[in-house]
Amino acid sequence: MEFNRLRRYRVNETIRNMFAETRLSVKDVILPFFVIEGKNKKEPIPSMPGIYRLSKDLLVREIKDVKKYGINTFLLFGIPGKKDGTGTGAYSKNGIIRETALEIKEKVEDVVIITDVCLCGYTTHGHCGIVKKEKDGQFYIDNDETIKILAEIAVSHAESGVDFVAPSAMMDGQVKKIRESLDGNGFYNTRIMGYSAKYASGFYGPFRDALDSSPQFGDRKTYQMDYRNLEQAMKEIEEDIKEGADIIMVKPALSYLDVIKTASEKYKFPLAAYNVSGEYGMIKSACRQGLFKEKDVVLEILTSIKRAGADFIITYFAREAAKWLQD
Ligand code: PBG
């Protein structure tokens, strides 16, 4: 015969399952949460239907609930009661993340907590670092000042028992500085998930609504990556591995599957991909308009991110996906 009958692998669901090359599991997903000050607070985020800013008491309840579906890894973003010029809310003694992490670790068993380490949610100007002015009045983000603060934030989170810190500011040397500070303070087992190749992307819009963290002037292009680059992403990743990251990341995921694929083949290192807020919002609004079935496209998207080579997928769809994977 002149051709291959590949359809024999597709005759029914059971046979298709046998030949599936990619298997999405609930153990692959990480669910992000937004935490706010106060008690019994649940605020909807209009651009992210189904996602809320939660106070820590409700967050603990929520975590206990989603754990029933098998999800046990969570990424926390804090929204402080008050922002300032240098983001002190990110590491103050009674900072939102410290208090929340302590509470979760006290009340929930078998849970992995990853905390975002950045300044954008805590600063009035919304930048991920310390803003300085050149003599000519131009502003810039001071890299070396910023990484000192990021290291302080990381240590403060480690003190409250988190499993991973995840520096997302895209400052040079941030992983090295954080690793040194964690070790210097005896936190040898606190791991680092580096946002290694994080692109300056239009897909972060809804997230900035959630955190109220849009930059008040300028943009993030002097620190986040230029989306025209792939080789540079490999350099960023290589740096993070050298500096001591335990997990590397590509972010966003969908327009960057080539970056995920290249990184996974090149480094064989634990790799996360962040299915970001705009990717979530896009699907939600398309489904609301009846364009397609949410379950179909979400499982297709998450599987494609895994097929590209991601070991972990950070996604706001984690809860739904876990439910669907159970069925
Ligand atoms: C910045 C940060 C961003 C996200 C997480 N941390 C992006 C940004 O505002 O530049 C985006 C996550 C998402 O869109 O879901 N520290």
Side-chain angles (χ1 to χ4, degrees):
M1 217 175 329
E2 292 294 320
F3 56 86
N4 211 339
R5 292 196 180 271
L6 295 168
R7 288 185 56 197
R8 73 165 70 92
Y9 306 126
R10 299 171 206 148
V11 292
N12 61 44
E13 184 70 18
T14 313
I15 293 296
R16 286 192 293 274
N17 286 343
M18 271 184 83
F19 285 92
E21 298 169 32
T22 309
R23 287 162 208 265
L24 183 67
S25 147
V26 65
K27 294 295 165 216
D28 305 327
V29 297
I30 299 174
L31 176 59
F33 279 119
F34 303 109
V35 209
I36 45 172
E37 308 262 4
K39 250 190 119 167
N40 201 23
K41 290 237 173 80
K42 180 175 181 174
E43 298 176 357
I45 301 159
S47 50
M48 300 179 76
I51 304 293
Y52 300 84
R53 301 184 196 93
L54 298 171
S55 54
K56 64 175 193 270
D57 52 326
L58 296 191
L59 177 61
V60 165
R61 216 199 282 168
E62 184 75 14
I63 287 180
K64 285 184 176 164
D65 185 56
V66 296
K67 276 201 67 193
K68 289 184 204 143
Y69 301 105
I71 305 172
N72 63 3
T73 308
F74 306 95
L75 173 61
L76 303 187
F77 293 96
I79 301 162
K82 242 176 96 189
K83 305 190 187 221
D84 60 28
T86 52
T88 50
Y91 53 94
S92 55
K93 259 232 135 12
N94 49 3
I96 177 96
I97 286 297
R98 277 170 65 104
E99 300 220 313
T100 306
L102 282 170
E103 179 124 339
I104 297 170
K105 283 292 183 180
E106 189 190 312
K107 301 204 166 143
V108 193
E109 263 174 48
D110 185 29
V111 69
V112 177
I113 298 296
I114 308 174
T115 53
D116 186 68
V117 171
C118 194
L119 289 180
C120 62
Y122 300 87
T123 50
T124 39
H125 48 70
H127 275 290
C128 301
I130 297 298
V131 175
K132 295 247 177 93
K133 251 189 188 165
E134 304 270 20
K135 285 191 192 76
D136 64 3
Q138 281 275 53
F139 83 89
Y140 68 100
I141 310 296
D142 189 323
N143 191 86
D144 298 15
E145 277 297 305
T146 302
I147 62 175
K148 280 187 214 155
I149 296 181
L150 296 176
E152 260 188 75
I153 299 173
V155 169
S156 84
H157 292 183
E159 282 167 359
S160 60
V162 307
D163 300 278
F164 284 84
V165 290
S168 65
M170 284 303 279
M171 295 294 130
D172 291 331
Q174 60 184 10
V175 170
K176 179 168 194 271
K177 189 81 185 166
I178 288 172
R179 185 70 270 159
E180 282 171 2
S181 297
L182 289 173
D183 290 348
N185 286 277
F187 295 111
Y188 306 109
N189 283 336
T190 309
R191 302 152 200 91
I192 300 175
M193 177 167 83
Y195 280 68
S196 316
K198 174 175 174 180
Y199 287 88
S201 166
F203 289 102
Y204 304 149
F207 173 92
R208 293 182 189 170
D209 284 348
L211 252 71
D212 186 21
S213 65
S214 287
Q216 295 303 300
F217 50 87
D219 54 39
R220 302 210 205 288
K221 289 183 183 164
T222 67
Y223 40 105
Q224 298 178 348
M225 280 192 59
D226 184 330
Y227 56 70
R228 291 172 292 190
N229 296 332
L230 170 69
E231 285 311 319
Q232 208 177 82
M234 297 309 117
K235 277 196 185 138
E236 288 280 1
I237 288 170
E238 207 164 313
E239 262 306 297
D240 271 14
I241 295 174
K242 265 198 261 168
E243 291 181 21
D246 302 287
I247 296 180
I248 51 173
M249 191 200 296
V250 172
K251 175 184 176 185
L254 278 191
S255 303
Y256 300 85
L257 292 174
D258 57 325
V259 184
I260 297 171
K261 174 92 176 153
T262 310
S264 80
E265 288 181 343
K266 193 161 176 173
Y267 295 109
K268 313 257 181 264
F269 197 85
L271 172 64
Y274 201 140
N275 178 217
V276 300
S277 60
E279 297 170 341
Y280 175 87
M282 195 158 71
I283 300 302
K284 281 285 179 188
S285 68
C287 291
R288 285 192 162 185
Q289 292 178 54
L291 264 60
F292 31 63
K293 281 211 202 89
E294 191 166 326
K295 177 179 173 179
D296 292 349
V297 290
V298 169
L299 291 179
E300 182 175 341
I301 286 171
L302 298 182
T303 304
S304 75
I305 296 171
K306 181 141 192 219
R307 191 188 62 226
D311 302 296
F312 311 100
I313 305 167
I314 302 165
T315 178
Y316 303 97
F317 286 115
R319 184 193 292 97
E320 285 99 322
K323 278 186 204 166
W324 294 324
L325 288 171
Q326 257 183 2
D327 304 340

